Amino acid sequence: MNDEELTVASDEYSSKNIQVLEGLEAVRKRPAMYIGDTGEKGLHHLVYEVVDNSIDEALAGYCSNIDVVINEDNSIKVTDDGRGIPVDYHEKEGKSALEVVLTVLHAGGKFDKGTYKVSGGLHGVGVSCVNALSTWLVAEVHRNGKIYMQEFSIGKPKADIREIDTSDRTGTTISFKPDASIFTITEYKYDILANRLRELAFLNAGIRLTLTDKRVRKDDGSYKCEHFHSEEGLKEFVRYIDRSKESLIHDVIHITTEKQGIPVEVAMTYNTSYNESVFSFVNDIHTIEGGTHLAGFRRGLTRTLKKYAEDSKLLERAKVEIQGDDFREGLTAVISIKVAEPQFEGQTKTKLGNSEVMGAVDMAVGEALRYYLEEHPKEAKIIVDKVILAATARQAARKARELVQRKSPLTGGGLPGKLADCSSKDPAECELFLVEGDSAGGTAKQGRDRIFQAILPLRGKILNVEKAMDHKIFESEEIQNIFRAMGVTIGTEDDPKGLNLSKLRYHKVVIMTDADVDGSHIATLILTFFFRRMRGLIENGYVYLATPPLYLCKKGKIEEYCWTDQQRQAFIDKYGSGHESQIHTQRYKGLGEMNDHQLWDTTMNPANRTLKQISIENAIEADSIFAMLMGEEVGPRREFIEENATYANIDA
């Protein structure tokens, strides 16, 4: 596929190109089927659908700038400088093409193979779905030297399209307000949108995206605003992901080619960490479950590196057998391909199934990597040395892992001694609290419901797995206890880092630490361990953070627990009037400062408690944050603390 084939077959883009597949009736009745959910994820997905249309215009070569604005009332405005959605009469539907696009599901240029050869968007539900789930939507189209406008309410047109002015540019502006009767959350998060626009800028080199938040004014009176633009695309993306990691080689190997009619772009490098960070995209969609393009990348990488190492006799001194995983330790890579008709599968429909893609990516990676290794023998030797070290560590980790699993609870009597288990054996109702320290652990054991709540006290701070080799992780007593208590196994000969949750004993794993800096550090260490070594726990929704109160406020016989400084101040404002007010505030720095009844009432009782479920909305950002917070590089961590310390709850 050449560059011209990525654009439209001809410059004529009109109502004839708009193909209708089905109606819109079910969207409001079952919105989660179309946008994932009606919470935070679905709310932000509405913006992505509109932006995807603009990206399609950019992929076709007709759009360079995309502006996203969050208005004061949490409505959204997306403007591009593409050709503008067609406004002429659609013969089959008997209305303007603009109205068809905005009121009929699966109506748009991307379903006409002659209009967009490649388009973004996973399900293609498009702006019609956004329209159906918005209290109001306004479309403004600059096209044919004129400006056209049409207004909608809950997916229905308020009036026909009308011409309102002349224009010397082209493009589309879509403004909309999500329907509060549909969405449980209606407040947009700036960082979520910023992360997606940054991602799109890296994936589509040359396009300029802007995010403006009119809810926030800076000191100079201007609105909070960021611009996202990348000239080098994935090469810059990999540098961004690795910004908090120590480089093993200074180069980013960048591949931009086309194989078997499939455009393939790959960027990769190595760092000194023990983790693999590989992210794959199809038509700008993050395929979190991988698929044939990821399999092709891994096959090409392993085959080419292994052949080079063998031909260069670099493996002769290695006393262990090299496996596929060894070639990916310390690897950071981004794979982006464009496919005209992607076939998705998997639980979340984000796993690519197109069989023809595997060979294309394998071939592209193999050719480019072979050339790089031959041209850069010094860097090639550094990479192979890292591979040999990884293989040696894997062998040590296997021995340590087998030692842990010989003590498995499945063999009887293998539960860690400090675990106070629950009596229920139904994982769906069982909860495991990972508690900081023996003192708090003792209080939790006394306060819990023994039927379904288990307590595992942890001694001090667990090992920082971000900076530890695998065998050190398995040798850690505290981590061994977590594995044994949960009943999970990790690693097989085929997949040394694979996680087996089939015999997981608890479907709620609750991290319960003190509400101070040390407690936050311990919680972060545990979360790092889960993210790096037991990510399946998080992905299945099994990991939670407990939220113990910060204060107990008293005025006479009136008592209230307060979780925030704002709640404490509200109590003072409510009951502290008059000079004789005697409000007593008890600050809970440690869980052990509460008695068992207080800990149960505030933090462990399902009827009263608040648990924060841990999820991974953006694996790329999560990877970077854990590397920054827990890795070797001090500079990025210091910058983060300096930027965020004013918002943190830091005790003297």
Side-chain angles (χ1 to χ4, degrees):
M1 188 183 294
N2 57 37
D3 289 341
E4 290 182 355
E5 288 177 318
L6 279 173
T7 65
V8 292
S10 74
D11 284 348
E12 185 181 346
Y13 176 40
S14 67
S15 62
K16 295 176 183 177
N17 302 112
I18 305 301
Q19 183 179 356
V20 178
L21 298 187
E22 62 177 84
L24 192 61
E25 297 80 12
V27 177
R28 286 185 63 83
K29 187 175 288 186
R30 298 182 182 88
M33 285 181 60
Y34 298 88
I35 58 168
D37 64 30
T38 55
E40 186 175 271
K41 186 176 180 180
L43 180 74
H44 291 80
H45 188 86
L46 297 184
V47 183
Y48 306 158
E49 284 291 349
V50 181
V51 172
D52 280 343
N53 277 10
S54 300
I55 291 290
D56 288 343
E57 280 287 272
L59 288 174
Y62 294 100
C63 171
S64 303
N65 298 282
I66 303 169
D67 297 325
V68 179
V69 177
I70 310 171
N71 292 313
E72 293 93 330
D73 63 349
N74 278 285
S75 64
I76 296 288
K77 182 170 79 169
V78 180
T79 302
D80 67 42
D81 59 356
R83 292 167 292 177
I85 298 173
V87 295
D88 50 321
Y89 188 74
H90 195 285
E91 291 290 343
K92 181 180 177 183
E93 292 296 304
K95 59 186 79 170
S96 75
L98 176 67
E99 186 174 327
V100 172
V101 167
L102 286 163
T103 59
V104 183
L105 192 65
H106 296 313
K110 67 178 69 176
F111 295 102
D112 173 17
K113 294 180 184 177
T115 304
Y116 294 112
K117 288 295 183 185
V118 172
S119 65
L122 180 55
H123 304 298
V125 295
V127 289
S128 60
C129 190
V130 179
N131 194 9
L133 300 175
S134 298
T135 52
W136 57 262
L137 182 145
V138 177
E140 184 181 292
V141 176
H142 293 243
R143 188 180 169 98
N144 309 324
K146 299 174 182 177
I147 304 175
Y148 303 87
M149 178 182 282
Q150 191 165 15
E151 298 176 67
F152 300 82
S153 178
I154 313 179
K156 297 177 181 178
K158 296 177 72 174
D160 291 339
I161 187 172
R162 66 186 192 277
E163 181 185 325
I164 60 171
D165 207 343
T166 59
S167 177
D168 58 359
R169 69 174 187 88
T170 61
T172 302
T173 297
I174 300 290
S175 302
F176 65 93
K177 178 74 182 293
D179 189 342
S181 71
I182 296 285
F183 292 94
T184 57
I185 295 173
T186 55
E187 183 176 345
Y188 277 100
K189 288 192 176 176
Y190 180 91
D191 288 344
I192 291 178
L193 294 179
N195 286 336
R196 177 56 178 161
L197 296 187
R198 182 184 296 111
E199 193 172 84
L200 287 170
F202 285 134
L203 292 165
N204 300 277
I207 300 174
R208 296 182 183 276
L209 300 105
T210 302
L211 177 61
T212 304
D213 191 344
K214 289 191 173 181
R215 303 168 302 180
V216 180
R217 283 192 183 271
K218 296 189 287 187
D219 292 339
D220 62 2
S222 62
Y223 294 116
K224 182 178 182 179
C225 182
E226 268 186 278
H227 301 277
F228 306 99
H229 173 256
S230 172
E231 285 296 341
E232 295 184 295
L234 297 196
K235 193 172 183 180
E236 287 184 65
F237 202 174
V238 164
R239 286 201 192 102
Y240 176 80
I241 295 168
D242 263 14
R243 66 194 183 279
S244 300
K245 301 172 186 175
E246 183 184 352
S247 298
L248 188 71
I249 60 172
H250 293 295
D251 297 326
V252 175
I253 305 165
H254 191 199
I255 305 161
T256 305
T257 186
E258 180 195 313
K259 296 294 177 187
Q260 302 170 6
I262 299 170
V264 178
E265 186 181 3
V266 176
M268 55 177 284
T269 192
Y270 279 88
N271 56 63
T272 59
S273 81
Y274 308 110
N275 305 306
E276 173 192 356
S277 300
V278 178
F279 305 99
S280 60
F281 295 83
V282 177
N283 300 355
D284 292 341
I285 297 301
H286 185 191
T287 40
I288 56 176
E289 294 180 275
T292 51
H293 53 332
L294 179 59
F297 168 78
R298 286 177 168 170
R299 192 170 71 180
L301 174 81
T302 301
R303 174 176 48 80
T304 308
L305 259 178
K306 191 170 186 179
K307 187 174 189 311
Y308 175 85
E310 289 171 344
D311 291 349
S312 305
K313 304 192 184 309
L314 293 174
L315 295 180
E316 286 184 348
R317 59 187 176 84
K319 296 179 181 179
V320 293
E321 183 184 352
I322 308 295
Q323 294 185 1
D325 263 20
D326 303 327
F327 291 97
R328 301 195 298 272
E329 187 173 284
L331 171 69
T332 297
V334 180
I335 307 144
S336 177
I337 65 165
K338 302 289 192 286
V339 182
E341 294 186 29
Q343 299 161 15
F344 292 104
E345 54 188 52
Q347 186 177 354
T348 58
K349 301 298 180 187
T350 52
K351 183 177 182 181
L352 185 68
N354 298 61
S355 57
E356 72 277 9
V357 169
M358 184 183 296
V361 178
D362 180 353
M363 191 184 307
V365 171
E367 285 181 8
L369 185 57
R370 183 170 64 250
Y371 176 78
Y372 175 84
L373 296 171
E374 290 170 354
E375 293 292 312
H376 300 81
K378 180 183 174 184
E379 287 78 7
K381 184 178 183 302
I382 291 172
I383 293 171
V384 174
D385 285 346
K386 170 81 168 171
V387 170
I388 294 170
L389 181 64
T392 306
R394 174 177 47 79
Q395 191 175 56
R398 179 175 57 81
K399 292 176 181 176
R401 187 181 69 239
E402 288 171 352
L403 178 64
V404 174
Q405 288 168 188
R406 276 200 297 272
K407 301 176 183 177
S408 164
L410 307 179
T411 61
L415 292 174
K418 287 190 174 184
L419 174 71
D421 205 5
C422 53
S423 58
S424 172
K425 302 303 177 190
D426 180 2
E429 70 176 26
C430 292
E431 305 176 348
L432 174 66
F433 285 81
L434 302 177
V435 185
E436 171 191 351
D438 289 336
S439 172
T443 306
K445 287 176 183 179
Q446 290 178 329
R448 67 182 173 134
D449 185 322
R450 296 165 188 264
I451 295 174
F452 66 95
Q453 291 180 326
I455 309 295
L456 180 64
L458 299 175
R459 187 182 60 217
K461 296 175 180 178
I462 74 164
L463 179 72
N464 180 3
V465 303
E466 190 70 25
K467 299 191 286 189
M469 300 178 78
D470 276 4
H471 68 283
K472 292 293 184 185
I473 295 171
F474 289 113
E475 289 168 359
S476 163
E477 182 182 349
E478 296 304 307
I479 288 179
Q480 284 185 27
N481 286 341
I482 293 173
F483 277 127
R484 290 162 58 201
M486 290 185 185
V488 303
T489 54
I490 187 167
T492 63
E493 285 301 322
D494 295 332
D495 186 3
K497 295 184 180 180
L499 181 68
N500 184 350
L501 297 177
S502 63
K503 295 180 180 176
L504 178 68
R505 304 175 67 244
Y506 314 93
H507 283 184
K508 269 195 175 73
V509 179
V510 185
I511 302 168
M512 190 162 70
T513 59
D514 292 347
D516 60 8
V517 173
D518 277 347
S520 297
H521 189 207
I522 291 169
T524 305
L525 285 166
I526 298 171
L527 285 172
T528 305
F529 167 57
F530 286 157
F531 180 76
R532 292 299 187 198
R533 291 295 182 268
M534 302 180 78
R535 194 178 301 187
L537 279 179
I538 302 176
E539 291 171 343
N540 281 283
Y542 296 153
V543 180
Y544 296 80
L545 282 178
T547 57
L550 288 175
Y551 306 101
L552 173 59
C553 295
K554 297 181 181 180
K555 169 73 180 292
K557 294 183 179 180
I558 302 170
E559 291 187 352
E560 278 187 20
Y561 292 102
C562 299
W563 277 258
T564 65
D565 287 316
Q566 291 84 355
Q567 289 177 349
R568 173 176 172 264
Q569 188 58 49
F571 183 91
I572 293 171
D573 293 343
K574 184 175 182 180
Y575 298 108
S577 58
H579 297 292
E580 298 302 318
S581 111
Q582 292 183 346
I583 292 179
H584 175 70
T585 300
Q586 182 179 355
R587 168 72 163 94
Y588 292 123
K589 285 194 174 184
L591 297 171
E593 294 180 16
M594 291 188 227
N595 62 41
D596 55 335
H597 298 295
Q598 291 173 322
L599 188 58
W600 165 255
D601 288 340
T602 63
T603 314
M604 300 180 70
N605 183 353
N608 301 331
R609 72 190 181 188
T610 299
L611 295 181
K612 294 179 180 177
Q613 188 176 40
I614 304 299
S615 62
I616 304 172
E617 289 298 324
N618 189 318
I620 295 169
E621 281 301 303
D623 179 275
S624 296
I625 288 170
F626 280 115
M628 178 267 297
L629 289 175
M630 311 308 291
E632 297 283 2
E633 294 293 292
V634 176
R637 182 160 54 249
R638 182 187 296 116
E639 289 176 15
F640 176 85
I641 292 170
E642 288 172 351
E643 288 175 10
N644 294 277
T646 53
Y647 305 106
N649 177 29
I650 296 179
D651 296 289

